């Protein structure tokens, strides 16, 4: 995630929400990774100084825009989802892993506190034990293990990943958009 890519994510989600013909959103990455995290060298360009001299808060804008989308969202995790890339996957309503998916928090290893709601989102998805194993003990999950612990809905063959994500998105898009948005908001408040 670079400053430019974060801006593109925000702009794309805004445009998709403004289009009444769009009923759901699939987020995926360009192979070989879903998202390898924040571009550490690019963080300073996002920073405004003060309490955020490294610009870490600017990285949050992209995945928080996905998290706050009124559209149903699916992450099609087609490779490593690392650090802020894991946050991007967690921001989606449903995650589907390809066999090549890897989930790695990695924040402690690079010396930063997990931010952007990471601990809350991960704990909510998988519970405190798995969240601790990933964040405190550096455990990484492959696609199959992620499905076993509930981080993803399922793990499918890499070749079937996008078709499966698009099929789920199409099913969600069949519902009236306003109703789907209300149901999504209710799920978030639950």
């Amino acid at each position: 995630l670079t400053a430019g890519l974060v801006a593109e994510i925000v702009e794309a989600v805004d445009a998709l929400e403004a289009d009444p013909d769009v009923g759901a959103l699939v987020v995926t990455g360009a192979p070989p990774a879903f998202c390898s995290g924040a571009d550490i060298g690019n963080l300073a360009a996002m920073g405004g100084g003060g309490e955020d001299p490294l610009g870490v808060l600017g990285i949050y804008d992209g995945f928080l825009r996905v998290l706050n989308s009124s559209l149903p969202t699916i992450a099609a995790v087609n490779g490593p989802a690392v650090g802020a890339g894991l946050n991007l996957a967690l921001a989606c309503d449903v995650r589907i892993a390809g066999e090549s998916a890897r989930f790695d928090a990695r924040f402690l290893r690079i010396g930063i506190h997990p931010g952007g709601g990471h601990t809350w989102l991960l704990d909510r998805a998988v519970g405190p034990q798995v969240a601790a194993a990933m964040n405190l003990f550096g455990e990484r999950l492959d696609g199959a293990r992620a499905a076993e612990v509930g981080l993803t809905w399922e793990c499918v063959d890499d070749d079937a990943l996008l078709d499966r994500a698009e099929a789920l998105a199409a099913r969600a898009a069949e519902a009236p958009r306003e109703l789907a948005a209300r149901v999504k908001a209710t799920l978030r408040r639950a």
Side-chain angles (χ1 to χ4, degrees):
L1 293 172
T2 63
L5 182 56
V6 167
E8 287 180 38
I9 291 170
V10 171
E11 184 179 307
V13 175
D14 287 347
L16 292 168
E17 283 193 346
D19 185 340
D21 294 329
V22 175
L25 171 62
V26 174
V27 178
T28 195
F34 174 76
C35 180
S36 59
D39 180 340
I40 302 298
N42 192 254
L43 288 177
M46 296 176 154
E51 292 183 24
D52 187 29
L54 293 179
V56 173
L57 296 177
I59 290 293
Y60 301 167
D61 292 343
F63 58 81
L64 290 177
R65 183 62 188 95
V66 172
L67 178 71
N68 293 318
S69 174
S70 62
L71 296 169
T73 57
I74 300 167
V77 183
N78 60 325
V82 180
L86 175 54
N87 285 358
L88 180 59
L90 287 168
C92 293
D93 300 312
V94 171
R95 290 162 296 284
I96 300 173
E99 289 179 330
S100 64
R102 301 289 177 270
F103 299 87
D104 185 358
R106 198 172 291 189
F107 294 105
L108 266 62
R109 272 187 277 157
I110 63 171
I112 63 173
H113 188 283
H118 171 82
T119 54
W120 182 82
L121 290 166
L122 186 60
D123 182 83
R124 186 170 181 196
V126 296
Q129 181 169 253
V130 174
M134 292 181 73
N135 279 289
L136 294 174
F137 301 98
E139 288 294 307
R140 292 172 265 190
L141 307 178
D142 63 18
R145 182 70 175 136
E148 289 173 15
V149 301
L151 181 56
T152 65
W153 174 244
E154 63 189 338
C155 180
V156 300
D157 290 337
D158 286 335
D159 293 340
L161 178 63
L162 283 179
D163 288 340
R164 177 66 174 132
E166 289 172 1
L168 278 177
R171 195 175 319 147
E174 291 173 357
R177 198 168 162 175
E178 297 78 25
L179 176 60
R182 284 197 327 261
V183 170
K184 180 172 175 168
T186 300
L187 286 167
R188 183 69 46 85
R189 285 192 305 269

